Amino acid sequence: MGTPYYQFCPVAKAMELLDERWTMLVIREMLAGSQRFTELRRGLPRMSPALLSKRLRELSAAGLVTRTEDHGGTRYLLTPAGSELEPIVVALGGWAVRWIGELGDPDLDPKLLMWDLHRHVNRPELPGGRLVVSFAFSDVPPRQRYWWLVCNDGEVDVCDRDPGFEATIGVRTALRTLIKIWRGDLDWAQAARAGALTVDGSGEMHRLLPRLFLLPGGRWAQAPAPG
């Protein structure tokens, strides 16, 4: 638990638990489907393993998270109390999209973006066989510039090294542009018309790309706005 506010107000009581650094982002990751410690770490790459362990213990003690064991190891699952935070997380995201200004360069993380793209692949839209989507970001250092999503039989892997398969779709753009698409500030067609995004592949693959990802920007747009 965080520092007590010593107020009877329910908001104060909630924030004693939830305003600890990273806590709401751990909840966000679990709402997005992360259950394993390694999955949580990939969604929170700048959070130390020790602090993540501490936050999971605190959330478990507060009744928001349960820990279970199976053949794959330990899983962390939200309880009904933890799941009930989902509309709050969505509302916070929607508020930030509407009112928080331009993203700074330190906010742009290709590793986090690619991890989130990987878990938002629209699997029913995947064609049969292997589909490889390559990404080349023009505004990041060379060692982080190239990424691949490999989709095969409903499984999706994200790679920061060439997996050795020919790309079915190639996307060339700035990291900032693709993050704007992820946030819902921009769509694929707008970016392409503006010359900010180039897609390599067949006409069928061009048409597939906007349907290939169920991006969270739509959730932010659905968040309640001021009347």
Side-chain angles (χ1 to χ4, degrees), residues 6-211:
Y6 299 114
Q7 292 191 4
F8 57 79
C9 169
V11 175
K13 299 309 293 181
M15 295 310 291
E16 287 178 1
L17 172 65
L18 299 177
D19 74 350
E20 285 287 313
R21 184 169 172 80
W22 294 103
T23 295
M24 286 298 284
L25 297 187
V26 174
I27 298 291
R28 179 204 69 189
E29 285 303 301
M30 298 185 76
L31 288 169
S34 294
Q35 297 181 351
R36 307 288 185 187
F37 193 87
T38 53
E39 293 171 344
L40 290 165
R41 284 277 296 129
R42 294 192 74 172
L44 301 163
R46 299 191 184 189
M47 185 181 189
S48 74
L51 184 54
L52 176 56
S53 295
K54 181 182 178 183
R55 291 291 179 265
L56 289 169
R57 289 194 301 270
E58 292 168 346
L59 290 169
S60 178
L64 274 64
V65 169
T66 66
R67 172 177 169 156
T68 64
E69 303 290 337
D70 59 24
H71 294 299
T74 303
R75 289 196 301 157
Y76 299 93
L77 305 173
L78 290 171
T79 65
S83 296
E84 202 170 303
L85 290 168
E86 181 169 13
I88 298 172
V89 172
V90 172
L92 278 171
W95 177 86
V97 168
R98 288 190 296 273
W99 298 109
I100 300 294
E102 186 71 16
L103 296 171
D105 288 342
D107 300 323
L108 309 182
D109 186 338
K111 183 184 298 185
L112 178 58
L113 175 64
M114 294 307 302
W115 175 249
D116 215 55
L117 287 176
H118 133 275
R119 65 183 175 191
H120 283 94
V121 169
N122 187 7
R123 284 170 170 77
E125 289 287 347
L126 291 173
R130 182 185 296 116
L131 176 76
V132 180
V133 187
S134 68
F135 295 85
F137 298 122
S138 58
D139 55 345
V140 300
R143 62 186 179 84
Q144 293 185 305
R145 182 167 297 168
Y146 301 102
W147 296 81
W148 292 262
L149 291 179
V150 181
C151 312
N152 199 8
D153 294 330
E155 297 297 319
V156 183
D157 293 316
V158 58
C159 307
D160 60 359
R161 296 183 181 181
D162 191 338
F165 305 118
E166 183 178 357
T168 319
I169 307 173
V171 178
R172 290 178 284 129
T173 188
L175 176 61
R176 183 178 291 274
T177 298
L178 193 54
I179 286 175
K180 286 184 176 181
I181 293 172
W182 180 92
R183 283 167 47 99
D185 302 326
L186 189 66
D187 66 31
W188 299 96
Q190 288 174 325
R193 285 196 299 269
L197 180 144
T198 302
V199 180
D200 300 317
S202 68
E204 180 184 359
M205 292 299 106
H206 278 248
R207 292 187 291 272
L208 172 64
L209 183 62
R211 308 193 310 271

